[in-house]
Amino acid sequence: MTEQRVIVEITNNIAHVKLNRADKLNALDMPMFIAIRHTIKTLRKNREIRAVIVSGNGDDFCSGLDVKSIMKSPMNMLKLLFKVLPWRSNLAQVVSTGWQAIPVPVICVIQGRCWGGGLQIALGADFRFATPDSSLSILEGKWGLIPDMGGTVALRDLIAVDQAKKLAMTAEMFNGEQALALNLVTEIAATPLEDAQAFALSLMSKSPDAIAANKKLYNKSWKGSKGWALFRESYYQIRVLMGKNVHRKIYNQTHDVEQHKPFLTRKKW
């Protein structure tokens, strides 16, 4: 049952992750939460992949929490919210925050409904490509709840606090164009999946170690002290220079395409 909730296909070193519950608008039940967590753990260990594209099967990305299914058992909420260490992600949060632990670009493709938990998942990606008419909402307020699936971590880096409060308090719905104006999506496209694929392929000519180092550098240094940011710049650059892929990139940059050498397996980042 868990395996059916998420489909993963790796083609040309790009991992295509598809939420697979189209008959329920890809709503999140317990098997879906568990399947997403398992997918993130598996992809994090895969040093061959160069990008991850997350989408939903059918017409919608994810309509949020399957309230009826989750509320069938009181233990479900305990399993979702329980954590040993308060500052670590629980099961509900890791489906959003976990994508940042994968050292490759994670691109979320939004079409149809992207509500509540669905939006929290999307916010955890590095990039979001959406259709102009997609429907987004921090929907938890409709049920008398607050957003608690890790999206707050990403939201604070994307939009002003007054806009975040407004969206969370009203639970209003907005389309892809409005999401772009709010800086909640990276790009608007009529064919977001194809555009995400093209973007992922364009990154194939870049060193996988440089890509991984960039992601880690900005994730750790966007907030915090100037001193630590400067330290990480130098330290990560040394790690990149000590690898072999930087030399492959320099060689490829100075030779014709027919002479290009393939990149080696990414270092552990």
Side-chain angles (χ1 to χ4, degrees):
M1 189 175 185
T2 300
E3 290 77 7
Q4 297 174 350
R5 289 295 190 261
V6 175
I7 298 173
V8 180
E9 295 180 355
I10 299 177
T11 306
N12 297 325
N13 299 103
I14 299 175
H16 293 266
V17 176
K18 193 175 291 288
L19 306 183
N20 189 38
R21 204 175 176 226
D23 59 319
K24 297 293 184 181
L25 311 180
N26 295 318
L28 295 157
D29 61 356
M30 288 304 294
M32 180 79 87
F33 277 104
I34 294 168
I36 295 173
R37 179 179 64 181
H38 174 74
T39 299
I40 290 171
K41 285 183 177 180
T42 302
L43 293 178
R44 183 179 181 181
K45 297 174 184 176
N46 189 330
R47 290 164 60 195
E48 300 294 336
I49 60 171
R50 301 293 308 278
V52 177
I53 298 176
V54 185
S55 61
N57 196 6
D59 297 328
D60 302 281
F61 175 67
C62 174
S63 60
L65 193 69
D66 186 338
V67 178
K68 289 183 179 179
S69 175
I70 295 294
M71 293 303 180
K72 281 182 180 178
S73 170
M75 287 300 295
N76 285 339
M77 291 307 299
L78 179 61
K79 291 176 182 177
L80 286 173
L81 299 177
F82 174 78
K83 58 175 72 178
V84 177
L85 300 175
W87 55 88
R88 294 287 183 88
S89 298
N90 55 31
L91 177 57
Q93 294 165 333
V94 76
V95 299
S96 175
T97 63
W99 303 109
Q100 290 304 314
I102 304 174
V104 301
V106 177
I107 310 160
C108 185
V109 174
I110 300 173
Q111 62 181 23
R113 300 169 181 86
C114 182
W115 297 343
L119 181 55
Q120 303 297 302
I121 292 172
L123 289 172
D126 299 295
F127 308 98
R128 284 157 295 283
F129 287 32
T131 60
D133 60 349
S134 54
S135 176
L136 300 86
S137 175
I138 302 178
L139 197 64
E140 286 83 356
K142 177 181 177 180
W143 304 99
L145 302 171
I146 66 169
D148 66 340
M149 283 179 53
T152 301
V153 176
L155 200 64
R156 66 186 184 185
D157 291 331
L158 295 173
I159 66 175
V161 65
D162 61 333
Q163 293 291 345
K165 290 176 181 177
K166 179 175 180 285
L167 295 176
M169 290 178 182
T170 63
E172 67 184 54
M173 295 183 184
F174 49 98
N175 61 30
E177 295 283 3
Q178 293 169 309
L180 181 65
L182 286 165
N183 200 41
L184 286 176
V185 300
T186 312
E187 188 173 305
I188 289 295
T191 55
L193 185 58
E194 288 81 356
D195 285 36
Q197 173 83 3
F199 176 55
L201 288 172
S202 74
L203 297 176
M204 294 297 186
S205 64
K206 308 297 188 289
S207 165
D209 287 309
I211 294 288
N214 272 316
K215 179 169 179 174
K216 190 170 184 178
L217 172 65
Y218 290 136
N219 280 351
K220 287 186 170 292
S221 301
W222 210 246
K223 301 286 185 180
S225 73
K226 173 183 174 182
W228 276 108
L230 295 175
F231 166 76
R232 292 189 189 100
E233 280 188 1
S234 301
Y235 175 55
Y236 294 167
Q237 187 74 299
I238 291 170
R239 288 192 61 192
V240 168
L241 289 169
M242 290 177 65
K244 295 181 178 180
N245 277 321
V246 64
H247 303 293
R248 292 285 175 106
K249 178 57 179 172
I250 293 171
Y251 177 89
N252 293 347
Q253 198 69 26
T254 55
H255 288 75
D256 294 333
V257 175
E258 305 81 48
Q259 298 174 288
H260 283 190
K261 297 180 180 180
F263 290 110
L264 302 174
T265 301
R266 183 183 66 245
K267 292 166 66 74
K268 290 184 178 180
W269 287 92

